[in-house]
Amino acid sequence: MPPPTAALSVPSSSSPSLFPLSSFSSSNNPHVSSFCPAPTTLPKFSSLSKPKTPLRNLTPLSAVSIEKETLISERPHTFLRDADGGDDGSVRSRFQRMILEAQESVCSALEAVDGAGKFKEDAWTRPGGGGGISRVLQDGVVFEKAGVNISIVYGVMPPEAYRAAKAAADDRKPGPIPFFAAGISSVLHPKNPFAPTLHFNYRYFETDAPKDAPGAPRQWWFGGGTDLTPAYIFEEDVKHFHSIQKKACDKFDPSFYPRFKKWCDDYFYIKHRGERRGLGGIFFDDLNDYDQEMLLSFATECANSVVPAYIPIIEKRKDTPFNESQKAWQQLRRGRYVEFNLVYDRGTTFGLKTGGRIESILVSLPLSARWEYDHKPEEGSEEWKLLDACINPKEWI
């Protein structure tokens, strides 16, 4: 799935790391950690952006400077630098407000449906600006583990990325490019095998003009998505989930849902298994060929759609009786979730390689999973139907 991390690390992904910078290596400075906000590669342009020169192919391994985080006892009013004007109506400020509000609304809804579990919160800042909040509910009544992370990141990327992003010839050789990244990322693992896992991630990325190239254009893009990973298929649940995604997309462009649904199916492909992680949803990355205000509204609409898309399903399935065999199948599918995140998810793998905040990077993993040698569900069984849908993606609506 093509993603910076709620744990403050930078690629596009399914892990609560939030942003795409997987093509960069960490700094040699032991006091600086690389940021890879999870759920992807710095700026990997999608086919929608159509830059003349693909950035992923041009960007060599270079240092991405991110200051080490410091845990704090109380969250600040803002993680933005003073120079960004605080709550000034800028896209940076409004996106920060959106992800903070989304984190609060999702966590409140999850605590309400769990009935007993409460989120543990860790907040941190960095000396040069930025920070984040990780919120985790673990071993509740309904949820085995639920993580909802946000991060605001400031850093520096190499000049090659900026020249490629401009997609135009330029004889100048600008210095390192300051960047800003903000995002929310979440993975929710219920206990009941009939209740599906959910992942969502929405992020915004900007670069500033190089210090030695004043007046150069600022680059920006949005990314994100929401996807469903059940162990058993209830068609009415999957149709409900996809209909909410389509409704959010259709408010802005009727081409969004079919395009982003296919993108989601392609991204969450476990190559060594020949199957998808789950039953999809929507996914997009490096989106910047539409009006910026429209895309900010679109990302906000998608984030606000998480609760109505997911909570009704959880309320319906959380108390469904199940047996040991059905629980074991859920654990096997959780194994696939772990495999994807640790092997393919760009946010997770980048964060692990570059020293990101490990607790936030791995918050996407379930408390328990299972691997059995050469396990094959009986053809025609409910387990087989799920596997078949993961191998052969379906149009649900």
Side-chain angles (χ1 to χ4, degrees), residues 324-343:
E324 290 185 6
S325 174
Q326 291 160 339
K327 184 65 179 179
W329 173 248
Q330 179 201 44
Q331 298 300 291
L332 286 169
R333 296 310 302 174
R334 290 271 172 84
R336 299 295 200 267
Y337 207 97
V338 171
E339 289 175 28
F340 178 86
N341 280 29
L342 295 183
V343 177

Side-chain angles (χ1 to χ4, degrees), residues 359-378:
E359 291 303 325
S360 297
I361 295 168
L362 297 183
V363 76
S364 64
L365 301 183
L367 283 184
S368 58
R370 180 185 182 97
W371 284 265
E372 291 184 16
Y373 180 75
D374 197 27
H375 181 275
K376 292 183 176 65
E378 181 181 352

Side-chain angles (χ1 to χ4, degrees), residues 140-159:
V141 173
V142 173
F143 292 100
E144 176 184 284
K145 190 177 181 185
V148 187
N149 297 346
I150 67 102
S151 62
I152 308 293
V153 183
Y154 293 88
V156 177
M157 67 179 179

Side-chain angles (χ1 to χ4, degrees), residues 23-259:
S23 59
F24 303 109
S25 65
S26 62
S27 168
N28 292 325
N29 184 342
H31 301 295
V32 175
S33 64
S34 293
F35 177 80
C36 170
T40 296
T41 299
L42 200 130
K44 179 194 68 60
F45 286 87
S46 69
S47 58
L48 297 177
S49 304
K50 297 183 178 67
K52 292 181 181 178
T53 314
L55 180 60
R56 178 186 289 178
N57 296 332
L58 288 183
T59 305
L61 290 176
S62 302
V64 176
S65 288
I66 308 288
E67 294 177 304
K68 189 68 177 177
E69 71 274 355
T70 300
L71 288 173
I72 54 178
S73 58
E74 294 184 10
R75 64 167 69 185
H77 171 67
T78 180
F79 290 106
L80 298 177
R81 289 173 173 170
D82 291 340
D84 283 338
D87 194 10
D88 65 349
S90 67
V91 174
R92 292 184 180 190
S93 178
R94 285 183 288 155
F95 195 86
Q96 176 189 237
R97 184 164 60 248
M98 183 276 279
I99 61 177
L100 284 168
E101 291 174 352
Q103 184 186 47
E104 186 63 32
S105 66
V106 170
C107 289
S108 295
L110 295 176
E111 285 186 346
V113 76
D114 191 275
K118 298 295 180 183
F119 279 91
K120 177 184 185 297
E121 178 175 297
D122 287 330
W124 66 91
T125 59
R126 289 193 165 90
I133 300 170
S134 288
R135 302 184 74 178
V136 178
L137 186 161
Q138 189 164 285
D139 204 18
V141 173
V142 173
F143 292 100
E144 176 184 284
K145 190 177 181 185
V148 187
N149 297 346
I150 67 102
S151 62
I152 308 293
V153 183
Y154 293 88
V156 177
M157 67 179 179
E160 292 84 358
Y162 182 78
R163 288 198 295 271
K166 287 180 66 177
D170 192 336
D171 293 332
R172 294 177 298 177
K173 295 183 178 180
I177 316 299
F179 72 85
F180 167 87
I184 180 169
S185 187
S186 174
V187 178
L188 314 174
H189 293 295
K191 290 184 172 180
N192 194 301
F194 296 114
T197 287
L198 183 86
H199 158 257
F200 71 91
N201 176 298
Y202 293 97
R203 56 200 173 274
Y204 175 67
F205 199 97
E206 271 187 14
T207 64
D208 290 330
K211 293 181 180 179
D212 55 354
R218 173 177 289 179
Q219 305 294 328
W220 58 266
W221 55 92
F222 291 85
T226 305
D227 60 280
L228 195 70
T229 305
Y232 289 92
I233 296 177
F234 293 92
E235 286 210 13
E236 65 268 33
D237 294 352
V238 184
K239 288 180 178 180
H240 165 79
F241 173 79
H242 277 271
S243 69
I244 297 296
Q245 308 314 307
K246 184 177 186 301
K247 181 179 178 181
C249 290
D250 287 352
K251 289 182 179 180
F252 298 88
D253 189 318
S255 73
F256 277 4
Y257 174 75
R259 185 183 303 174

